[in-house]
Amino acid sequence: MLSVPDLSLVVLIGPDAAAFARRRFAPTQVLLGAAPGDVVERRLAAGRVTVVDGTDAPRAPLVALAKAHDVHAVAIVVGLAEPELGRTLKSLARDGFRRVHVLGTLAEEIVVEPLPCDRRADTGPFDVLGDVHGCRAELEELLRLLGYAIERDAGVPVGARHPMGRRAVFVGDLVDRGPDTPGVLRLVMGMVAAGAGLAVCGNHERKLVRALRGRNVRTSFGLAESLLQLDRQTQDFRTRVEEFCAGLVAHYVLDGGNLVVAHAGLPERYHGRESARVRGFALYGDTTGETDEYGLPIRLPWANDYRGHAMVLYGHTPILDPVWVNNTMCLDTGCVFGGRLTALRYPEREVVSVAAHRVWYEPVKPLGP
């Protein structure tokens, strides 16, 4: 069985392409015989799986079209034998295809699977938590305030569950700067493994993975603290941390598309899509390329222009108090800098927070005036 990601442009190549398309895809998905261009572009913009015959058509423009709409370009080669198959595969690589499947028969089944970010079937209710940054004690306190029962193993928190079935969603940046990154990870990893929590990737998790894999990265902005704390843990735990952080998706679309969670926020045009550009925005946001007087990137206020249907909850940039901006809210209230750890109950839209126990890491830029 061949799996094709949802929200993709499928390009069929070979003498059996048309027959394969009619047998394995819905008629509403297939544009065989139609010239690629406006029709394909409208379908990709609307987020629909689109199947075209690329046997004789130029294929590089199709890859460019998929990239422009932040969808996967998938090539399926049907019924070609050597040496033509070899020439075709080399051509597909030059055209920019990264997903290529070779089929020798029309009998191969096709299943269109949701992207990892697509959790629209998960309706909640949820408790969305802002940047934790290693503040394990405050995280425990906030979870208890939200009604979760902390699960412990020999006194160590290893998970938490809500008696009413609510689930915690973490906006990323679980690690760095704070006093107990391993404790935060152990607790959150347990919740995610048990189905009691979800987590998206933050820029600090991404950098931590690179460091754990031996890459040459700067250990500034709290990474050095995380690495020192993790060095005191077992190798098995460090391996599980690397696998967990590396497997985090950049954003989630939840509750039928009514809720989107991304570390740095996400404009509507990127909701439910998957590309380097989408991941980059979700993890880092958008900047002018300049820095302020504190040496920090000047961020563009994407939320000021947001008019999307979905509520977008995010963190990344610490603020004093969470406020609604066009159906979006930043939940990073600077706990590690002596502020607060904040959550939003969804769909109730109720803000819940606890005060930091102390200033764990001196901020480069003051949280407020």
Side-chain angles (χ1 to χ4, degrees):
M1 182 176 291
L2 175 61
S3 173
V4 173
D6 200 358
L7 248 181
S8 59
L9 175 60
V10 180
V11 181
L12 301 179
I13 298 122
D16 299 327
F20 184 81
R22 285 191 291 267
R23 292 180 62 174
R24 297 305 178 205
F25 290 94
T28 55
Q29 297 173 327
V30 178
L31 290 178
L32 296 182
D38 292 345
V39 177
V40 177
E41 189 160 9
R42 285 198 298 269
R43 289 183 59 86
L44 296 180
R48 298 172 184 163
V49 173
T50 303
V51 181
V52 300
D53 189 341
T55 303
D56 299 315
R59 295 187 286 261
L62 293 173
V63 176
L65 198 58
K67 185 176 181 180
H69 290 277
D70 301 289
V71 302
H72 292 281
V74 181
I76 300 179
V77 183
V78 187
L80 287 184
E82 295 291 357
E84 187 178 359
L85 175 59
R87 291 194 296 267
T88 299
L89 293 179
K90 290 180 181 178
S91 174
L92 290 172
R94 289 194 302 269
D95 291 335
F97 283 93
R98 297 294 178 264
R99 291 172 177 254
V100 179
H101 303 280
V102 178
L103 307 182
T105 171
L106 299 181
E108 187 81 32
E109 294 287 343
I110 296 287
V111 58
V112 178
E113 294 188 336
L115 293 171
C117 64
D118 185 354
R119 301 291 293 259
R120 286 174 290 183
D122 290 348
T123 58
F126 301 108
D127 300 301
V128 185
L129 287 79
D131 303 38
V132 181
H133 277 304
C135 298
R136 193 261 310 158
E138 289 88 342
L139 174 57
E140 284 192 60
E141 184 179 347
L142 180 57
L143 286 172
R144 286 194 297 267
L145 187 59
L146 291 167
Y148 290 78
I150 307 295
E151 300 169 349
R152 300 181 185 275
D153 181 5
V156 177
V158 294
R161 289 183 181 273
H162 197 285
M164 303 301 293
R166 301 180 70 93
R167 277 181 292 171
V169 184
F170 297 89
V171 305
D173 278 7
L174 300 166
V175 305
D176 293 351
R177 295 179 172 142
D180 194 0
T181 281
V184 169
L185 287 168
R186 187 175 287 106
L187 175 53
V188 174
M189 288 162 57
M191 294 179 69
V192 172
L198 295 168
V200 299
C201 189
N203 58 298
H204 283 260
E205 280 80 32
R206 184 173 186 178
K207 192 174 181 181
L208 176 62
V209 169
R210 294 173 62 204
L212 291 174
R213 291 178 174 175
R215 302 287 179 84
N216 184 21
V217 296
R218 294 178 60 189
T219 58
S220 53
F221 301 106
L223 177 59
E225 286 79 359
S226 287
L227 294 174
L228 182 61
Q229 293 165 18
L230 287 169
D231 280 344
R232 304 188 186 112
Q233 308 297 312
T234 65
Q235 179 58 51
D236 175 69
F237 180 76
R238 290 196 298 272
T239 299
R240 290 193 294 117
V241 164
E242 179 188 329
E243 293 173 349
F244 173 77
C245 292
L248 294 174
V249 301
H251 77 286
Y252 276 126
V253 180
L254 301 159
D255 190 25
N258 293 313
L259 174 63
V260 170
V261 179
H263 177 61
L266 205 62
E268 186 178 30
R269 65 185 180 274
Y270 294 153
H271 293 179
R273 298 180 184 256
E274 190 176 81
S275 69
R277 175 166 53 187
V278 173
R279 289 191 296 272
F281 197 110
L283 267 64
Y284 302 101
D286 199 6
T287 67
T288 65
E290 301 173 315
T291 56
D292 61 17
E293 64 269 30
Y294 300 99
L296 300 174
I298 298 177
R299 307 191 187 281
L300 293 172
W302 67 272
N304 290 351
D305 299 320
Y306 182 75
R307 298 296 183 271
H309 165 73
M311 178 191 300
V312 181
L313 300 177
Y314 63 104
H316 188 53
T317 305
I319 56 176
L320 270 180
D321 297 297
V323 294
W324 288 106
V325 180
N326 297 327
N327 205 26
T328 78
M329 179 177 279
C330 177
L331 296 174
D332 182 1
T333 47
C335 181
V336 76
F337 301 127
R340 304 181 69 81
L341 185 60
T342 295
L344 181 86
R345 284 189 170 120
Y346 176 91
E348 299 89 342
R349 298 170 70 101
E350 178 188 356
V351 174
V352 181
S353 63
V354 298
H357 293 182
R358 52 165 285 189
V359 176
W360 298 106
Y361 197 92
E362 288 293 339
V364 174
K365 180 178 181 178
L367 281 179

